Amino acid sequence: MSDLLERLSRLPLRDNLRGLEPYGAPQLDVPILLNVNENTHPLPAEVHQAIVAEVSAAAMGLNRYPDREFTELRERLAGYLGHGLQAENIWAGNGSNEVLQQILQAFGGPGRTVMGFPPTYSMYPLLASGTDTAYLAGVRSADFGLTADDAARQVREQAPNLVFLCSPNNPTGTALGLDVVEAVYAAGEASSTIVIVDEAYAEFAHTGTPSALSLLPGRERLIVSRTMSKAFALAGARLGYLAAAPEVCDALRLVRLPYHLSAVTQATANAALKHVGALLANVEDIKGQRDRIVEELTRMGLKPAASDSNFVFFGGLEDPRRIWQGLLEAGVLVRDVGIPGHLRVTAGTEAETTAFLVRLEELLTGGGATAGRS
């Protein structure tokens, strides 16, 4: 047991938190960080200037509480998402993790369950533990896919109170078909299951990939969560949001902390939403680098998964830890997600992507640490 866990064990923690470790990827000081799926492109100058101006204006009123209902922000987010959504359909928090936590606070809790389908976003079980909601691990196919029939069967059998569907899925990067969402929603009818489709990476999806936003009408138990951390390059601002039936947003008002979104956060997000075009231009560049990674890894004999996100999950590695270490020694940090034979890399700028690809090929061909392909 680590010294930290030993000291924690002496505190009167809730039983379901004992032995857990905090979420977090390795934060090492290297030139090229491609491990946490950040948007590595800097903010466009016009967006930076707009944020500075709006935050400066907001600072004049920091002696007062912010708009508790973040009305302008909800209106702008509804306009951005489209699909006929209005401000009453939108909720936001300090990053999508807070939004997901609030959902579990409102609909989960002691005696209730939430189902996820690992490998998927590793925060789901931690959010469950934090809200004293039992986590049920569903099963994917051998290729990490999830079919409508299989997902629906598991939901009918387990009758969870909530289900997380990550699309595009993290860490595999693949988007779910809407048939999966529809089937899971229908399967949860008898148990009144809340279905959360986590679309944190939706803006990076290939053209024509549908969003679960189109399924919201008539489905009051369906929630679609998004974030401004990825496509909008605002990871440091912490702004996540969701779209759902108005009554879902009302339920979250019961558990939110007073004035939970600061005036600075609201000003930052509103400024960014006035410059969607400039921000999404960077998204197109990232998608190009992602597709380049998939193409190059395939050429190298590796097995990249089809990706609708800003990262690529790839297998075919005999010793992924040595590859990870070899990349690190070259100043490139990628993510070991703990799945045998696999690693995950964020699509960065053209220069960052090139550095990753060049070093990876050196490692695979014997130009660095011992490595191989299965």
Side-chain angles (χ1 to χ4, degrees):
M1 179 183 294
S2 70
D3 181 60
L4 172 60
L5 290 179
E6 185 176 352
R7 285 185 281 120
L8 273 174
S9 70
R10 295 197 293 266
L11 294 175
L13 276 176
R14 294 195 335 241
D15 289 341
N16 69 316
L17 297 181
R18 291 190 179 279
L20 296 182
E21 295 187 7
Y23 171 85
Q27 295 301 307
L28 304 177
D29 186 16
V30 298
I32 301 176
L33 298 171
L34 302 177
N35 66 320
V36 290
N37 300 338
E38 294 164 318
N39 185 332
T40 68
H41 291 61
L43 282 172
E46 66 181 87
V47 182
H48 175 261
Q49 292 165 6
I51 290 174
V52 169
E54 294 228 14
V55 169
S56 178
M60 297 297 293
L62 288 182
N63 58 311
R64 301 291 188 182
Y65 285 118
D67 175 8
R68 182 176 57 197
E69 292 300 313
F70 44 99
T71 307
E72 179 185 351
L73 177 57
R74 288 190 295 118
E75 290 172 348
R76 290 191 179 279
L77 286 169
Y80 167 67
L81 290 178
H83 292 274
L85 295 167
Q86 304 296 320
E88 63 183 5
N89 299 110
I90 305 298
W91 187 253
N94 293 284
S96 60
N97 287 324
E98 182 179 61
V99 171
L100 299 178
Q101 181 184 60
Q102 289 174 339
I103 295 170
L104 288 174
Q105 287 174 319
F107 300 105
R112 296 195 172 194
T113 59
V114 58
M115 174 176 275
F117 294 90
T120 190
Y121 185 33
S122 58
M123 270 300 297
Y124 295 154
L126 294 179
L127 290 167
S129 294
T131 57
D132 209 7
T133 308
Y135 183 75
L136 304 175
V139 178
R140 291 177 177 266
S141 60
D143 65 355
F144 308 116
L146 188 64
T147 67
D149 289 344
D150 196 32
R153 175 186 58 78
Q154 294 181 64
V155 169
R156 282 193 298 270
E157 290 174 353
Q158 297 288 338
N161 298 100
L162 304 99
V163 174
F164 281 125
L165 295 175
C166 192
S167 180
N169 187 48
N170 181 9
T172 58
T174 50
L176 290 174
L178 293 188
D179 61 326
V180 178
V181 180
E182 292 175 300
V184 166
Y185 188 90
E189 183 71 38
S191 50
S192 296
T193 301
I194 296 288
V195 179
I196 306 118
V197 184
D198 183 351
E199 292 190 344
Y201 301 94
E203 286 89 350
F204 300 101
H206 288 281
T207 302
T209 301
S211 166
L213 292 170
S214 63
L215 299 179
L216 284 172
R219 293 182 173 89
E220 72 282 354
R221 293 180 289 106
L222 180 62
I223 300 172
V224 181
S225 69
R226 293 282 188 98
T227 182
M228 294 186 75
S229 293
K230 310 299 182 181
F232 282 83
L234 291 179
R238 312 308 303 129
L239 196 291
Y241 60 104
L242 63 76
E247 54 266 39
V248 169
C249 299
D250 285 337
L252 300 187
R253 286 181 172 88
L254 300 176
V255 299
R256 60 108 174 259
L257 294 174
Y259 309 103
H260 71 292
L261 277 183
S262 76
V264 171
T265 299
Q266 293 183 44
T268 300
N270 281 325
L273 286 163
K274 294 176 183 178
H275 295 82
V276 170
L279 288 164
L280 294 189
N282 277 345
V283 168
E284 290 305 310
D285 183 65
I286 293 167
K287 289 166 66 174
Q289 296 306 315
R290 173 206 58 205
D291 294 343
R292 176 189 173 203
I293 291 171
V294 170
E295 181 179 338
E296 287 297 298
L297 295 187
T298 302
R299 179 185 62 78
M300 294 178 200
L302 297 176
K303 301 172 183 176
S307 178
D308 283 285
S309 57
N310 71 331
F311 58 86
V312 178
F313 175 74
F314 62 100
L317 300 168
E318 290 180 0
D319 193 342
R321 189 65 187 180
R322 289 190 178 184
I323 293 291
W324 182 91
Q325 185 64 43
L327 288 165
L328 180 63
E329 290 168 359
V332 180
L333 182 61
V334 300
R335 186 72 174 267
D336 183 347
V337 294
I339 299 175
H342 291 76
L343 291 172
R344 190 193 71 193
V345 60
T346 305
T349 63
E350 182 177 3
E352 290 170 332
T353 300
T354 297
F356 160 72
L357 291 171
V358 168
R359 180 56 176 162
L360 177 62
E361 188 156 27
E362 289 175 351
L363 292 165
L364 291 173
T365 57
T370 303
R373 287 167 280 181
S374 60

